[in-house]
Amino acid sequence: MRAALPGKPQASLQALCTASWQGNRYVVYVTGKALTILGGTDNLIQTIYHNDCDALDAVSVDERTGKIATASGNKIYVYDASCSGRNWMLQHIINVACERNTICTLSWGSSGQLLVGSRRLQLFQTVNEEKLIWTCELSSPAKLAFFSFDSTLIATTSRFDRLVKTWRQLSSGSDDVRFDCSYLIHPSTVTSIKWRKGNYGEEHGENVLYTTCADNKIRVWAIVDPHGLQMLQLLAEVDMIESIQPRNIKGSSRTDVRYAFMIDRRDFESAFAAYSHEAALDCKSDLQNHLQDVAARRPDVWVVVDREGHMSAWGCEFHGDKTRSTVEVFNVAHVDDFLVFNHPPQFGDGQNIQMSAFSNKDNADLVLLLHDFGGSIEWLQGHIQDVFAPTCVRERLKIKGVWTGHDSMVTKLVRSNTGKALMSRTESYECAVWRQGRGETVTKLSQCSLMSMSNYIHRMWLLDEGNFVAILEQQSLSIWDSRRPVASQIAKCSYYDPGKPLCLIEIPLENAKPGMKYLATVTSDSQGIVWEAHLPQDERTTMASSGPGTNDYLRRLCSFDLEHGKDLKYIIPVDPAGSPITVTKFLDLFAKDLAIAYSHSGVFRSYAVKLDAALPSVEWLTTAEVTTHIKNPALASGSSNRKIAVTDAERLGLTIWDLRGGQLEYEMHPGPGELVQDLDWSSTPNDQSILAVGFPHRVLILAQLRYDYLDHGPAWVSIREISTLDFTPHPIGDSTWLAGGGLVVGIGNQLISYDTSVAASEVFMAELSIPVHQHSMIDMWQLVTLLNGPLPVFHPQYLAQFILSGKFECVQKILASLNSSLAYFTAGDSMDKFLGISADYFFTEHGDMSLACKQSAPDESSLNGSTVAISEGVVVELNERLAQVSVPYLTSQNQIHLANIVECVALAEKHRRSMDQNAMRFYVFFRQHILLKARRSARSQGVTWREIAWAQHSNSQDILVDLVAKNYQSRILWNHAKETGMFMWLIDIDTLRIQFETMARNEYTKKDEKNPIDCSIFYMALRKKNILLGLWRAAAWHPEQASTQRFLSNNFNEPRWKTAALKNAYALLGKRRFEYAASFFLLADSLQDAVNVCANQLHDLQLAIAIARVYDGDQSKILHSLLRKKVLPLAALRGDRWLATWAFWMLGRQDLAEKALILPLSAILEESEDVTLQAKSFLNIDPALIILYKQLREVRSQKRQGASLIKAHMEWEFIRQTARLYDRMGCDLLALELVRNWKFPTLPVRPEKSSDERLDSRSSFKHRRSSILDETRSSTSTEPLPGAMRKPSPPVAFEEPNADSLLDSFGL
């Protein structure tokens, strides 16, 4: 739902027009340069802007064709309606020859004729092309000119004219149009003229004219003698003064001001017909009988009202036909509580008001539009029974909406801290203060105050919920009192600073006096100023002030210099996102942020501020800092939840960052031509962030999601898109949030506010398993809560984290409980997120898996008994139920993941007795990867470096090799080995070479025609040239067999043949046969070149590492160089801590491997200049890192390898960060379990040593210090290797076995 403030209506007699076309009621009015078409109070159909002209003056709608004509200056714009009535397109632009370039009035006739009134009357034909068919000079400019219903008569009048000129059409041909005229004389100035409307399709209709005059009389004119000289004769009068005779008011209080409006007979009949349908037929009331008698006479009803609430309604009943008419005027109703003017005018004097009435087609309501020339249109609506009831009715007409706003383009919207007040600014420096109504919906806004500025406004700030406004200009700060309709300046303080003011921020102060506010600005040269504002609490005090230049309410308090300001680009106030500013006693990292500064190089800093008004002084504390590497960010916005949204210099890309962790959460590139031009933050009551991203013609609302480390899913999602192209092509000026979640969008001179309802079709409701119907609505805050709340314990992400944490017993208990719950589950039932398991169970340490697997495992699990291994029967049952039942809180993709986890856990359970925890972690996620790969039928990227790290630190690698091989029918090829990372995590070099040779044999035999080229690189890495030579002997079919066999028969220990092998390698590089070229480099004993080809040309880092390990062992200098120059920089570029810790472990730097898990890689490695945003991604800070860190720390402690390498405060900060990650993932239990059960290492108390021992200790420390000076260059470590590592074997000397004895292995 949306509410519209379509703009300030023009103060002209024909600025507003209503019409009924194709059964729908349309209200059209002009505001500034815009033509606004509405179908109801909040139903904005279309807005058409005319940027090539001045303000529009008049508008007219043709009820026959739906055409709309509007005028500005001497131009007329004609719009033709589409068949749906939802879009009007420009048909003609008519340039009218008129003096003073002013068109005052427009009127549609039959057959597409358009009457234009200015200094002359002009008649245009607009059917196919515009054509002037008649014109006539006037003695004075026309004020009003209207066609009669049948278009045979025209009535015109001028300003301050007491004559109405009537024109009768003598000929209707397009080439010869002639009129004669006569005059209707009035005793005073004519104020309005109105023709009676007939029913379209009728053959004849009465041409009846109503006029109102300054003498407060309504006159009725009609044709009495069609052949007489006088076209219309006066038939009746209604004296508006005498028609209202108050009975309960003193004569001294009486007023002669009257207002009148007419209810057309068609509208009266329509409303009464609906009323009759609503009422019971057998119990008609006296009022219904009376209204039935009135409706039977088919009168036009004139309603006369005054400002005291008196109303008198008169019916005009006509008799006769088109040629002769008589009229009978009778009283319809007289009431004393018709409170149309029950509130003072908001703007203007409230005297110049134009009224228009019609019926609501959907019910028995009558609608009254009040056009106040002060700048508003009110929509009042009431039931026909309440309008004409003779008894007292509390509210006969209710205000359904007010249309007002600006008449120039809105450029900026600023809200108060709570979002209950709003300020808009236009391109002409007109400012308006708006406030949300109490007890109303979030979309309702009421205009409170207006102010006009003459100079450029740098910044604005709303004080005291919009009662006061602070305006920051180039060299001054002013305070405005906006409690009255027209705001007044109460204080102004000038300052001098050569820099450009970058911000205006309110600084809260503890125990501040009532009305005391403190404002600060920071300029582009990092200089800041603080002002103290004393806001008057009594409005009378403001009115008695000495004038706008007084400084009684504003003074300069102090100045300050902001640090880190040399590269400062902008400083912006933190968007409170709906939460009020809070004051903290201490200035520390827990204080609320007030401002965010960012530099040209893309460094963002958040600041908390503490003010001491007594000294006076102000302190700024940097609470967080993140380097985004975004050069010259064009736009940025920060929230109180420490989230920042940043665009690049071209505004073509958007990123969202978490300031607490310094990590990237979201990246978006909308597409060419779509510039991000606005960023606004909001949050739910649970502090879940929502971001509105403004584009030229749409607003995209993004909501945060749970972190998804299972699918590496995004952390933000689009939940709603608001497109303004539905009703206007004008670009959006600005947008901002309101309290309660409403969003206000400024488009042109209009303000459109949207509520929190989101259509089910706008978001992936089916995927979310949210129980809403397809066309129903859901609250945006409720939706965001569903997307971010705590997960059920049976969610696959929860189960995956339980597995990584080593809680296999918890996983089995959860799966058994889920199976029991689904046994009797039907659609629509609720399900406990904990499955009946006590929360304390998850905090209890159940022991590791090795202890659990000593127990015997029965076939079934019991919910009430102790949790044991789930049987195959339970697994089959559970997977069948998951395939049939839609589980609450899970999407369809989640259920697929859950079924995979069930299968993987059951398969891993068979091997629990032979695998350690790390092997179990690897195998579960490896099997899950295999299952997902089979279901998605997509090319897999293989297991991640996280799984490789688990397998690397496993003592069950032999078992893992067998299990992995079984998944590929014991025929592992290189792509399988790469997919599993086998040659990355195998530690024993002998096992590595055995598996490598097995893979080489499989590569050779994978095709029916066995090609030795397929396995050349692998046998060359194994230094087994003779086996490859034997394979070439058997490849008689190959065209290269003879030359290759002859070449391989040489002794490559000789330099000449090494050179020949190198030449062949380079020749193969030129032919882009890279893998074959690498094998010839190995033949020439050039391992470095072979590794370079694999890493650079083949882009296969795993192949390069595997070849280096197999060829030269783990202590190979070339391998270590590869790790330092390729792997570690790649880890830094990606921000991949798992890859970094693996590489450090391979280098023998267990200390750095441990640090890489817990510290940012920038603190260990040199950050690349070409760092990517991927390196900052939240996915790189995996909560499972702390599990491996704890293992390595415990191994170091058990082996007494020195004190902890990580300081306690660093470890504590990483625990806090991991707990926040668990919370953001929806795994609150794991976050609580982490901070509850974590144990920090205790330093042992060492006995006092002798002087000799202390000397030895110092010398030992000196030796240890010298050994760690260059952490990344050392290829060996003086520290013993952990248990998971075995001492590597020395490099194997090159031996050439007899090829004939090995051919049997290949079936040759």
Side-chain angles (χ1 to χ4, degrees):
M1 176 183 173
R2 70 186 183 199
L5 290 166
K8 179 181 178 181
Q10 292 294 98
S12 62
L13 292 174
Q14 214 175 339
L16 173 67
C17 182
T18 70
S20 177
W21 179 60
Q22 290 186 346
N24 297 315
R25 174 63 62 173
Y26 296 97
V27 179
V28 183
Y29 79 93
V30 292
T31 164
K33 298 181 179 181
L35 171 66
T36 305
I37 307 169
L38 301 107
T41 54
D42 297 325
N43 182 15
L44 179 60
I45 297 176
Q46 188 177 0
T47 303
I48 305 172
Y49 288 89
H50 306 78
N51 296 321
D52 59 340
C53 66
D54 297 329
L56 302 176
D57 301 308
V59 65
S60 180
V61 182
D62 186 3
E63 289 192 335
R64 299 174 180 86
T65 63
K67 287 186 176 182
I68 298 176
T70 184
S72 173
N74 66 335
K75 287 185 177 181
I76 300 174
Y77 302 86
V78 179
Y79 294 92
D80 196 4
S82 62
C83 296
S84 61
R86 302 293 302 180
N87 192 19
W88 274 259
M89 303 296 292
L90 181 64
Q91 185 184 25
H92 303 298
I93 298 179
I94 304 174
N95 292 304
V96 179
C98 62
E99 297 178 5
R100 298 181 183 177
N101 294 330
T102 301
I103 297 173
C104 301
T105 180
L106 300 169
S107 179
W108 285 99
S110 61
S111 304
Q113 293 180 349
L114 179 63
L115 179 66
V116 180
S118 58
R119 188 69 186 182
R120 63 180 66 197
L121 282 182
Q122 300 178 75
L123 187 60
F124 291 89
Q125 180 60 255
T126 64
V127 174
N128 295 318
E129 58 182 15
E130 73 275 10
K131 180 181 180 183
L132 179 64
I133 59 177
W134 177 76
T135 182
C136 181
E137 189 82 18
L138 298 177
S139 58
S140 59
K143 178 176 70 173
L144 297 171
F146 298 117
F147 267 116
S148 65
F149 175 73
D150 61 0
S151 302
T152 59
L153 298 177
I154 298 173
T156 64
T157 187
S158 302
R159 292 188 64 188
F160 310 112
D161 197 347
R162 66 186 186 92
L163 300 177
V164 174
K165 183 179 288 187
T166 56
W167 307 74
R168 178 169 53 189
Q169 189 170 356
L170 301 177
S171 61
S172 58
S174 59
D175 297 330
D176 183 19
V177 177
R178 289 177 297 160
F179 289 86
D180 65 350
C181 65
S182 61
Y183 294 91
L184 305 180
I185 303 174
H186 293 71
S188 184
T189 303
V190 177
T191 56
S192 71
I193 57 177
K194 187 177 184 68
W195 289 99
R196 189 190 194 202
K197 294 182 180 179
N199 292 321
Y200 294 107
E202 290 182 351
E203 185 177 354
H204 301 289
E206 304 91 349
N207 285 325
V208 178
L209 179 67
Y210 299 100
T211 62
T212 59
C213 192
D215 63 351
N216 282 324
K217 288 186 178 181
I218 302 171
R219 291 175 172 83
V220 185
W221 308 79
I223 298 176
V224 176
D225 182 6
H227 303 291
L229 297 177
Q230 191 73 15
M231 301 177 194
L232 301 176
Q233 300 290 333
L234 179 63
L235 299 185
E237 292 183 348
V238 177
D239 192 329
M240 291 189 286
I241 299 295
E242 296 299 326
S243 64
I244 294 179
Q245 295 294 332
R247 296 182 290 270
N248 300 323
I249 189 168
K250 296 181 180 181
S252 59
S253 302
R254 293 182 60 180
T255 175
D256 292 337
V257 178
R258 298 289 186 268
Y259 302 92
F261 61 91
M262 189 187 80
I263 304 175
D264 185 80
R265 59 173 179 169
R266 299 177 302 176
D267 295 314
F268 189 88
E269 291 171 2
S270 173
F272 177 74
Y275 173 46
S276 301
H277 184 71
E278 294 174 1
L281 298 178
D282 55 347
C283 54
K284 290 185 178 181
S285 63
D286 294 338
L287 176 61
Q288 186 176 358
N289 289 328
H290 173 63
L291 293 178
Q292 183 176 1
D293 294 339
V294 172
R297 303 174 70 171
R298 303 189 66 195
D300 293 329
V301 179
W302 276 90
V303 180
V304 182
V305 298
D306 63 7
R307 287 194 170 274
E308 281 71 37
H310 305 101
M311 182 272 279
S312 180
W314 299 85
C316 297
E317 179 187 7
F318 291 89
H319 303 281
D321 53 20
K322 185 176 181 181
T323 58
R324 287 181 175 84
S325 299
T326 59
V327 64
E328 180 181 350
V329 179
F330 62 95
N331 184 261
V332 176
H334 189 98
V335 298
D336 294 331
D337 54 355
F338 197 82
L339 301 176
V340 177
F341 309 99
N342 57 351
H343 58 278
Q346 201 169 25
F347 303 100
D349 55 9
Q351 298 296 323
N352 295 321
I353 292 178
Q354 193 177 42
M355 298 182 178
S356 179
F358 54 87
S359 63
N360 193 331
K361 68 169 186 174
D362 298 326
N363 47 45
D365 287 354
L366 293 173
V367 177
L368 177 62
L369 297 180
L370 266 67
H371 177 199
D372 187 342
F373 283 26
S376 66
I377 298 174
E378 292 186 14
W379 179 299
L380 294 93
Q381 187 169 324
H383 197 279
I384 188 173
Q385 177 183 4
D386 297 333
V387 172
F388 295 105
T391 58
C392 182
V393 178
R394 183 179 179 183
E395 243 183 331
R396 296 182 185 270
L397 293 175
K398 299 179 181 179
I399 299 179
K400 295 296 184 179
V402 178
W403 296 332
T404 184
H406 297 282
D407 54 8
S408 57
M409 307 307 170
V410 176
T411 58
K412 186 65 179 177
L413 297 176
V414 177
R415 69 172 185 175
S416 63
N417 290 324
T418 60
K420 295 179 180 179
L422 172 71
M423 186 172 183
S424 56
R425 186 185 72 201
T426 68
E427 60 184 5
S428 60
Y429 306 139
E430 181 188 60
C431 301
V433 178
W434 309 81
R435 190 175 287 116
Q436 272 185 320
R438 296 180 180 178
E440 297 183 5
T441 62
V442 296
T443 59
K444 296 297 182 181
L445 289 174
S446 59
Q447 188 172 335
C448 304
S449 186
L450 277 175
M451 64 188 74
S452 296
M453 307 294 294
S454 57
N455 298 325
Y456 177 76
I457 300 173
H458 280 279
R459 294 292 181 269
M460 305 179 296
W461 194 271
L462 290 172
L463 301 169
D464 195 18
E465 294 299 340
N467 289 327
F468 297 89
V469 178
I471 302 292
L472 180 65
E473 298 174 288
Q474 180 60 38
Q475 298 294 336
S476 66
L477 175 71
S478 57
I479 304 295
W480 293 70
D481 187 348
S482 55
R483 291 175 291 184
R484 293 188 296 273
V486 179
S488 59
Q489 180 179 308
I490 61 174
K492 186 174 184 178
C493 185
S494 300
Y495 70 94
Y496 174 74
D497 193 296
K500 174 185 175 183
L502 301 180
C503 65
L504 183 62
I505 302 172
E506 181 182 355
I507 302 177
L509 181 65
E510 188 180 12
N511 300 323
K513 296 180 181 179
M516 299 299 293
K517 302 292 181 181
Y518 299 90
L519 299 167
T521 186
V522 179
T523 62
S524 54
D525 54 3
S526 304
Q527 299 300 310
I529 304 172
V530 179
W531 290 276
E532 182 184 67
H534 182 198
L535 305 180
Q537 302 301 299
D538 189 355
E539 191 171 349
R540 292 173 296 179
T541 305
T542 307
M543 298 177 65
S545 63
S546 56
T550 181
N551 288 333
D552 296 340
Y553 302 118
L554 184 66
R555 70 184 182 97
R556 180 168 176 166
L557 188 65
C558 64
S559 302
F560 61 91
D561 188 5
L562 185 67
E563 62 177 0
H564 308 298
K566 294 182 179 180
D567 192 31
L568 183 65
K569 181 175 183 180
Y570 250 102
I571 183 167
I572 53 177
V574 166
D575 197 329
S579 60
I581 296 178
T582 57
V583 183
T584 55
K585 294 183 178 180
F586 305 101
L587 186 64
D588 52 24
L589 297 179
F590 298 98
K592 279 283 188 179
D593 297 336
L594 283 186
I596 292 177
Y598 59 96
S599 64
H600 291 86
S601 59
V603 178
F604 284 75
R605 298 181 180 90
S606 60
Y607 291 95
V609 185
K610 184 178 181 181
L611 176 67
D612 189 340
L615 288 179
S617 65
V618 62
E619 295 181 67
W620 291 66
L621 174 67
T622 303
T623 57
E625 181 177 330
V626 59
T627 303
T628 63
H629 297 283
I630 299 175
K631 303 300 181 183
N632 295 314
L635 196 63
S637 180
S639 75
S640 55
N641 296 333
R642 291 192 176 172
K643 306 286 184 185
I644 57 171
V646 187
T647 68
D648 55 23
E650 293 79 20
R651 298 192 180 192
L652 295 175
L654 171 70
T655 53
I656 301 176
W657 301 76
D658 178 29
L659 270 175
R660 286 189 181 94
Q663 57 203 23
L664 174 68
E665 291 191 342
Y666 186 71
E667 183 179 5
M668 179 180 69
H669 296 278
E674 276 209 298
L675 303 180
V676 179
Q677 61 184 27
D678 189 30
L679 300 168
D680 296 288
W681 287 100
S682 182
S683 66
T684 67
N686 297 326
D687 285 337
Q688 292 149 351
S689 298
I690 303 173
L691 177 65
V693 185
F695 298 95
H697 300 287
R698 65 186 179 114
V699 178
L700 194 65
I701 298 180
L702 303 175
Q704 71 175 44
L705 290 174
R706 302 180 188 96
Y707 283 166
D708 182 7
Y709 291 94
L710 194 64
D711 284 331
H712 292 178
W716 291 78
V717 67
S718 170
I719 61 172
R720 187 178 185 183
E721 182 176 349
I722 298 172
S723 176
T724 61
L725 289 174
D726 298 338
F727 56 88
T728 180
H730 198 281
I732 296 173
D734 199 7
S735 62
T736 191
W737 291 97
L738 293 174
L743 181 69
V744 178
V745 181
I747 313 168
N749 65 327
Q750 301 176 339
L751 297 179
I752 313 297
S753 55
Y754 296 84
D755 65 3
T756 58
S757 299
V758 179
S761 58
E762 292 189 36
V763 294
F764 40 94
M765 293 298 181
E767 286 298 314
L768 292 174
S769 297
I770 297 176
V772 296
H773 299 290
Q774 183 179 0
H775 300 292
S776 61
M777 309 295 286
I778 184 172
D779 184 76
M780 182 173 61
W781 283 4
Q782 179 187 357
L783 174 61
V784 176
T785 301
L786 290 171
L787 294 175
N788 290 276
L791 292 170
V793 294
F794 52 85
H795 194 279
Q797 179 155 264
Y798 234 137
L799 296 176
Q801 296 303 320
F802 278 137
I803 293 171
L804 291 172
S805 301
K807 297 180 179 294
F808 295 97
E809 186 177 343
C810 288
V811 173
Q812 293 181 0
K813 186 175 181 67
I814 291 169
L815 295 180
S817 302
L818 178 62
N819 184 52
S820 301
S821 299
L822 291 178
Y824 306 100
F825 181 83
T826 57
D829 291 352
S830 61
M831 182 174 288
D832 182 15
K833 287 189 175 183
F834 289 89
L835 298 174
I837 305 173
S838 172
D840 293 335
Y841 175 82
F842 300 99
F843 304 142
T844 306
E845 296 184 2
H846 303 284
D848 58 14
M849 186 189 60
S850 60
L851 296 177
C853 50
K854 294 179 181 178
Q855 305 173 359
S856 59
D859 292 337
E860 295 187 3
S861 301
S862 173
L863 179 60
N864 300 322
S866 60
T867 305
V868 292
I870 57 175
S871 65
E872 292 185 5
V874 172
V875 171
V876 172
E877 271 186 16
L878 185 53
N879 277 340
E880 287 179 354
R881 287 165 179 165
L882 289 175
Q884 298 171 359
V885 178
S886 180
V887 182
Y889 313 110
L890 299 184
T891 68
S892 57
Q893 191 65 29
N894 292 152
Q895 290 196 208
I896 293 175
H897 280 301
L898 180 57
N900 290 343
I901 288 180
V902 172
E903 186 174 342
C904 294
V905 169
L907 190 59
E909 178 63 27
K910 298 179 180 179
H911 306 283
R912 286 184 66 176
R913 292 177 174 81
S914 56
M915 287 195 298
D916 58 12
Q917 286 193 22
N918 287 337
M920 284 285 288
R921 292 183 178 102
F922 171 85
Y923 188 62
V924 168
F925 285 96
F926 165 69
R927 279 297 306 167
Q928 189 175 359
H929 159 76
I930 294 297
L931 291 175
L932 289 176
K933 173 187 172 184
R935 291 181 178 177
R936 291 175 179 172
S937 300
R939 187 174 182 179
S940 174
Q941 298 296 324
V943 298
T944 66
W945 286 100
R946 181 183 68 182
E947 280 66 59
I948 292 174
W950 293 127
Q952 182 186 34
H953 294 282
S954 171
N955 289 317
S956 309
Q957 291 187 352
D958 294 338
I959 304 298
L960 280 183
V961 169
D962 293 338
L963 292 176
V964 167
K966 287 181 180 179
N967 281 278
Y968 303 106
Q969 292 77 40
S970 299
R971 290 184 57 83
I972 293 183
L973 304 176
W974 169 246
N975 60 328
H976 301 149
K978 183 179 178 180
E979 186 178 358
T980 61
M982 176 186 294
F983 298 115
M984 303 299 104
W985 49 261
L986 274 174
I987 298 302
D988 184 75
I989 199 67
D990 294 331
T991 304
L992 179 74
R993 289 183 173 126
I994 291 172
Q995 295 300 323
F996 202 81
E997 185 171 1
T998 303
M999 181 198 64
R1001 184 165 56 248
N1002 294 334
E1003 284 286 344
Y1004 175 71
T1005 59
K1006 67 181 179 181
K1007 299 177 183 177
D1008 292 338
E1009 52 177 23
K1010 300 176 176 61
N1011 192 346
I1013 295 179
D1014 294 339
C1015 60
S1016 294
I1017 190 172
F1018 305 113
Y1019 278 113
M1020 289 301 180
L1022 289 165
R1023 299 176 183 261
K1024 295 186 177 182
K1025 183 202 69 174
N1026 282 354
I1027 293 180
L1028 187 61
L1029 179 60
L1031 300 179
W1032 273 108
R1033 289 172 182 166
W1037 59 271
H1038 202 285
E1040 299 177 2
Q1041 189 249 359
S1043 58
T1044 305
Q1045 180 181 347
R1046 204 166 42 248
F1047 184 75
L1048 291 179
S1049 301
N1050 298 301
N1051 183 5
F1052 288 91
N1053 291 324
E1054 298 178 7
R1056 56 170 296 201
W1057 293 114
K1058 285 185 178 181
T1059 303
L1062 287 174
K1063 290 181 179 180
N1064 279 278
Y1066 287 120
L1068 291 169
L1069 284 178
K1071 297 179 180 179
R1072 305 188 65 82
R1073 298 174 67 180
F1074 299 126
E1075 185 177 316
Y1076 202 28
S1079 64
F1080 274 85
F1081 279 124
L1082 292 173
L1083 183 63
D1085 198 23
S1086 181
L1087 176 61
Q1088 183 66 65
D1089 291 328
V1091 166
N1092 290 341
V1093 169
C1094 293
N1096 300 328
Q1097 274 72 35
L1098 292 175
H1099 304 290
D1100 194 340
L1101 196 58
Q1102 282 200 36
L1103 182 60
I1105 295 171
I1107 287 174
R1109 294 187 68 191
V1110 171
Y1111 191 87
D1112 212 13
D1114 285 344
Q1115 303 305 317
S1116 168
K1117 293 182 179 179
I1118 294 175
L1119 173 63
H1120 287 192
S1121 175
L1122 176 66
L1123 294 175
R1124 292 193 194 98
K1125 296 180 180 180
K1126 282 285 185 182
V1127 178
L1128 288 176
L1130 181 63
L1133 189 67
R1134 296 177 179 174
D1136 193 339
R1137 297 190 183 188
W1138 294 105
L1139 177 58
T1141 191
W1142 173 87
F1144 281 129
W1145 198 268
M1146 291 298 298
L1147 287 169
R1149 298 311 310 270
Q1150 289 80 7
D1151 52 345
L1152 295 182
E1154 189 175 335
K1155 288 181 179 180
L1157 294 170
I1158 199 169
L1159 297 179
L1161 294 184
S1162 58
I1164 305 174
L1165 301 170
E1166 292 184 4
E1167 200 168 35
S1168 172
E1169 295 181 359
D1170 300 327
V1171 65
T1172 62
L1173 292 178
Q1174 182 186 357
K1176 302 288 185 177
S1177 173
F1178 72 96
L1179 293 172
N1180 295 324
I1181 310 177
D1182 193 331
L1185 289 166
I1186 203 166
I1187 308 299
L1188 183 57
Y1189 166 75
K1190 185 178 180 181
Q1191 283 187 15
L1192 299 184
R1193 192 193 67 178
E1194 289 176 354
V1195 169
R1196 173 178 287 275
S1197 176
Q1198 291 172 4
K1199 297 194 174 185
R1200 299 181 181 179
Q1201 295 178 356
S1204 176
L1205 300 172
I1206 306 298
K1207 296 181 180 179
H1209 75 275
M1210 295 180 180
E1211 187 171 306
W1212 166 241
E1213 183 59 35
F1214 188 65
I1215 291 172
R1216 288 181 57 212
Q1217 185 180 27
T1218 305
R1220 286 197 300 268
L1221 292 178
Y1222 278 135
D1223 182 66
R1224 181 68 185 274
M1225 293 167 62
C1227 304
D1228 304 60
L1229 292 174
L1230 287 173
L1232 186 57
E1233 191 271 342
L1234 176 65
V1235 298
R1236 179 177 177 178
N1237 296 334
W1238 185 267
K1239 296 178 181 178
F1240 290 91
T1242 56
L1243 296 177
V1245 180
R1246 297 182 180 181
E1248 187 69 20
K1249 297 182 180 180
S1250 63
S1251 59
D1252 294 339
E1253 289 174 334
R1254 287 196 297 272
L1255 181 61
D1256 293 341
S1257 176
R1258 286 192 296 270
S1259 61
S1260 174
F1261 173 76
K1262 182 178 180 181
H1263 173 71
R1264 183 171 179 268
R1265 181 185 177 189
S1266 63
S1267 67
I1268 63 173
L1269 285 178
D1270 189 1
E1271 295 181 335
T1272 60
R1273 295 179 183 176
S1274 174
S1275 60
T1276 60
S1277 176
T1278 59
E1279 300 171 355
L1281 301 179
M1285 293 279 291
R1286 299 180 185 177
K1287 184 176 180 181
S1289 303
V1292 180
F1294 181 80
E1295 295 181 1
E1296 293 191 4
N1298 188 357
D1300 295 335
S1301 64
L1302 299 174
L1303 294 181
D1304 291 339
S1305 301
F1306 300 93
L1308 299 177

